[in-house]
Amino acid sequence: MAGFPLAINTISDAWITPLEQSIRRLSKLGYSQFDVTVTPTHLDTENLTPPDLRRLRQIMADDGVRICCLTLQSLDHNLASPRAEIRDMTLGFKKKILNIAADLDIPGIVLVSGRYNPLNPPPRAQLEGWLRDSLDRIIPYAEQVGVKLYLENIPMGVLPTAQLMMEWITEFNSSALTVCYDVSNAHFIKEDPAQGVRTVASKLDLLHVSDTPFDSWKHDPIGTGTIDHAAVAQALREIGYKGMSSLEILLPNPDPVVVANHGILAEMGWEPLRPRS
C-alpha cells in the first residue's frame, strides 16, 4: 500500500528566505509538494505582480513541484475581531490570498477561527457571532474562485477542537470549508490527535505534523515531544485517508532534521522521501 503523501511546510524559512530560494533548496532534498507559510519575507502577497506570479509558476514547472496549500499566520488579522473594520481588513486580505491561490492552481488555504485574549475573553456568544459574520462572507468567495478554506485548530482560536470545527463545518454545509488538523496544536490542549483525526475524517484535507510536549506549545522534531505519531498513522489508515500531510518543523537550520524526521514518519506509513540525483 502506498504511503500517505507528505509535503514540506516552509515555516522555518518564513521570516528569512524568499519562497523561490526555498523551493530550489528543498526540491533538491526530494520534496515536490510545498505547504507555503505566507509572510512578507517569504511570499510578499502585498506586492506580488503578474510577472512575479509567472516567474513562480515557471520555477514550479522547472523543478516539477506544486504548492498544495498557503498557510497564513494570524499575527495581524482576525476573523473574530470585535471590531468590524478589522474583520473587513482580514476578509480583504484573505480574498487576496484566495485569488493568488486560484492563479497558481493551489487547492486550498489554511484558515484559523480567529483568536482572542484568554486572560480577558469576550463572552462566547459574541466571539461566535463575529466569527460567523466573517465566515458568512468568505465562504461564498472561496466557492466562487474554486479554492478551499482549510479550517485549522489552534489553541487560542474560537474553534480549538476537532468537535467544534466539525459542528461549524456541518452548519455551513459548504464543500469549500474543510479541515486542516494540526496534531501538535491538538496535543497541546490535551486533545488526543488520533481521535481528533477520526472526528474530522469526513472533512480532512490537510494534516500538519510536528511534535510538542503538553506543557509548552511547540512545532518540534518528531520524537522530541509526547505525541504518539504511530497512533495518528493508524487513525489515518482506519479512515482511509488519501489527502496531504505536511511536515511543519520550526527550527533555525531545519534541513537535516526534516530529512531525518521524514524517515521516521516513513517507517510509520508516510511516503518516503526520494532525493533527486
Side-chain angles (χ1 to χ4, degrees), residues 17-56:
T17 307
L19 176 59
E20 295 174 9
Q21 294 180 26
S22 297
I23 288 176
R24 296 289 196 200
R25 187 186 85 248
L26 293 167
S27 64
K28 291 177 181 177
L29 298 179
Y31 285 102
S32 60
Q33 296 278 354
F34 288 78
D35 177 359
V36 174
T37 301
V38 176
T39 67
T41 305
H42 197 52
L43 181 62
D44 187 5
T45 55
E46 284 185 284
N47 299 300
L48 204 60
T49 64
D52 293 331
L53 288 170
R54 287 195 296 270
R55 186 174 65 253
L56 183 53

Side-chain angles (χ1 to χ4, degrees), residues 158-169:
V158 179
L159 309 175
T161 67
Q163 185 60 43
L164 277 171
M165 288 195 297
M166 288 302 289
E167 288 172 5
W168 279 59
I169 287 171

Side-chain angles (χ1 to χ4, degrees), residues 2-272:
F4 310 117
L6 186 58
I8 183 66
N9 186 290
T10 61
I11 188 171
S12 291
D13 286 357
W15 297 111
I16 56 174
T17 307
L19 176 59
E20 295 174 9
Q21 294 180 26
S22 297
I23 288 176
R24 296 289 196 200
R25 187 186 85 248
L26 293 167
S27 64
K28 291 177 181 177
L29 298 179
Y31 285 102
S32 60
Q33 296 278 354
F34 288 78
D35 177 359
V36 174
T37 301
V38 176
T39 67
T41 305
H42 197 52
L43 181 62
D44 187 5
T45 55
E46 284 185 284
N47 299 300
L48 204 60
T49 64
D52 293 331
L53 288 170
R54 287 195 296 270
R55 186 174 65 253
L56 183 53
R57 278 194 291 267
Q58 189 61 55
I59 289 171
M60 292 163 60
D62 290 346
D63 287 12
V65 305
R66 181 179 184 227
I67 297 175
C68 63
C69 178
L70 296 177
T71 293
L72 315 182
Q73 294 194 326
S74 56
L75 297 176
D76 49 11
H77 49 93
N78 186 359
L79 290 174
S81 171
R83 297 190 179 276
E85 62 185 319
I86 300 300
R87 297 197 301 277
D88 289 344
M89 178 275 292
T90 298
L91 291 168
F93 171 65
K94 293 186 187 301
K95 287 178 180 179
K96 181 182 291 186
I97 301 301
L98 285 167
N99 290 337
I100 291 169
D103 284 343
L104 294 173
D105 297 320
I106 300 170
I109 71 169
V110 167
L111 187 83
V112 302
S113 57
R115 66 185 191 283
Y116 62 92
N117 183 352
L119 180 64
N120 185 26
R124 179 77 191 178
Q126 290 184 16
L127 275 173
E128 291 188 353
W130 298 324
L131 177 61
R132 186 168 281 106
D133 170 73
S134 295
L135 292 177
D136 277 336
R137 291 189 280 165
I138 196 64
I139 291 172
Y141 193 82
E143 292 172 341
Q144 177 184 325
V145 300
V147 177
K148 288 185 177 182
L149 302 167
Y150 301 148
L151 186 62
E152 184 178 28
N153 55 313
I154 62 168
M156 77 292 290
V158 179
L159 309 175
T161 67
Q163 185 60 43
L164 277 171
M165 288 195 297
M166 288 302 289
E167 288 172 5
W168 279 59
I169 287 171
T170 299
E171 174 188 335
F172 280 94
N173 191 29
S174 169
S175 60
L177 187 63
T178 62
V179 171
C180 167
Y181 191 68
D182 189 301
V183 299
S184 287
N185 294 352
H187 189 70
F188 176 63
I189 65 166
K190 311 299 191 294
E191 177 169 271
D192 177 4
Q195 188 54 46
V197 164
R198 297 182 183 97
T199 299
V200 302
S202 64
K203 288 292 185 176
L204 184 60
D205 270 336
L206 181 64
L207 186 80
H208 278 173
V209 184
S210 59
D211 212 341
T212 190
F214 276 134
D215 58 358
S216 58
W217 185 24
K218 304 286 188 181
H219 278 52
D220 279 349
I222 309 301
T224 61
T226 51
I227 296 176
D228 186 347
H229 291 86
V232 172
Q234 179 57 35
L236 293 176
R237 282 188 285 271
E238 288 175 13
I239 69 172
Y241 185 57
K242 305 298 183 185
M244 187 65 63
S245 299
S246 174
L247 187 55
E248 192 180 32
I249 305 297
L250 183 53
L251 286 174
N253 180 29
D255 292 7
V257 176
V258 161
V259 170
N261 273 222
H262 201 126
I264 293 170
L265 291 174
E267 293 178 357
M268 299 180 191
W270 278 270
E271 283 184 348

